[in-house]
Amino acid sequence: MYIPTQEVRYSKIARITLFLCVMAPSAVVAWLGGIHGILDCAIAFLWPLALPLIYLDFAPLAALCCSALLQAVVFYCVVRSRRLTARGKATFAITWGMFFALILRLALAYQAWQSVFPAP
């Protein structure tokens, strides 16, 4: 039986796989946090960068567009990088996705805290 080495396993990684590594953790956190719209869960990875912009008086749609643009540029740079191996790209995408899922979870917890204990 043939067991491929790590180099062979990670030699080709699809862009959609990298994108899902970024998007899926935030979508799961949003769904578990009570957001059940499919589109809302799909764009949940944009909120961690959009929320600080909203607090700076950006419109929510403009903040989401700025977040999408910034993340698209970073994603393009990661995909086109010649310095990163396929395994490095996958590791970067997973770390990026999990970090944004953590930020989203903290934002949802803060929102729940504010609804239970409103400011006087």
Side-chain angles (χ1 to χ4, degrees):
M1 183 163 97
Y2 173 70
I3 299 173
T5 64
Q6 281 189 350
E7 288 181 30
V8 173
R9 264 186 286 170
Y10 291 104
S11 65
K12 294 180 182 176
I13 189 162
R15 287 183 198 102
I16 190 71
T17 304
L18 291 175
F19 186 64
L20 287 175
C21 289
V22 173
M23 191 177 89
S26 295
V28 170
V29 166
W31 182 71
L32 291 174
I35 301 170
H36 294 294
I38 188 100
L39 184 62
D40 295 333
C41 287
I43 65 167
F45 73 102
L46 297 176
W47 283 105
L49 290 180
L51 287 174
L53 295 176
I54 291 172
Y55 290 132
L56 294 173
D57 289 335
F58 273 70
L61 183 61
L64 283 173
C65 289
C66 290
S67 174
L69 179 67
L70 180 64
Q71 290 194 45
V73 168
V74 172
F75 185 77
Y76 178 78
C77 291
V78 168
V79 168
R80 300 293 293 172
S81 174
R82 299 211 183 266
R83 298 179 99 191
L84 286 174
T85 63
R87 184 177 180 183
K89 291 175 187 179
T91 303
F92 184 83
I94 291 168
T95 305
W96 177 11
M98 294 302 284
F99 179 67
F100 277 21
L102 173 67
I103 293 172
L104 183 64
R105 178 64 186 115
L106 293 175
L108 289 173
Y110 178 75
Q111 182 183 13
W113 178 269
Q114 289 296 319
S115 67
V116 173
F117 300 108

